[in-house]
Amino acid sequence: QVQLVESGGGLVQAGGSLRLSCAASGLATVTYTMGWFRQAPGKEREFVAAISRSGASTNYADSVKGRFTISRDNAKNTVYLQMNSLKPEDTAAYYCARSRTLAALSSSGYYDVWGQGTQVTVSS
């Protein structure tokens, strides 16, 4: 059974940092592009970051460029999202997902397996 489990969310003050983890089971992350998305209450799910299978290529939403870093450890079947300089507008549930594409694409339609999400709340 393919499963993605996110962890690392929590409550942090503006300007603080968090590192999210996405642990995969039932699949080898090395064979998939992986992405992070987020959804705030009352808003649509939006792309945050993606990383290619080898990790050589990454893609970020403009809103997080320079603040967030996506990385992966294929030996551990885990993908990470380091979030620095957090802002209240980063508050959302964060989801990781896998894609069968080679490129680190931003459209959620390319992702076919999703985790349950982890909540990130940034206070002002």
Side-chain angles (χ1 to χ4, degrees):
Q1 181 181 359
V2 177
Q3 191 174 17
L4 300 174
V5 179
E6 302 94 336
S7 62
L11 174 63
V12 65
Q13 288 188 333
S17 298
L18 284 174
R19 188 176 84 153
L20 305 184
S21 299
C22 172
S25 60
L27 65 90
T29 55
V30 68
T31 60
Y32 298 99
T33 288
M34 300 295 293
W36 285 96
F37 292 77
R38 66 187 182 186
Q39 187 167 20
K43 295 187 177 181
E44 293 187 354
R45 187 172 297 186
E46 66 175 0
F47 170 75
V48 175
I51 187 167
S52 63
R53 300 176 184 186
S54 67
S57 176
T58 57
N59 186 13
Y60 294 93
D62 288 343
S63 59
V64 307
K65 278 181 182 177
R67 301 188 298 122
F68 291 11
T69 302
I70 188 171
S71 62
R72 63 193 302 159
D73 185 338
N74 288 332
K76 295 182 178 180
N77 267 0
T78 302
V79 179
Y80 305 97
L81 185 68
Q82 178 67 44
M83 305 186 296
N84 298 329
S85 302
L86 283 162
K87 305 175 181 180
E89 51 263 45
D90 294 318
T91 295
Y94 283 71
Y95 301 86
C96 71
R98 79 155 193 203
S99 171
R100 299 177 184 271
T101 62
L102 293 176
L105 301 177
S106 61
S107 175
S108 61
Y110 291 107
Y111 294 80
D112 62 349
V113 177
W114 296 78
Q116 293 299 305
T118 186
Q119 179 67 35
V120 171
T121 302
V122 184
S123 63
S124 57

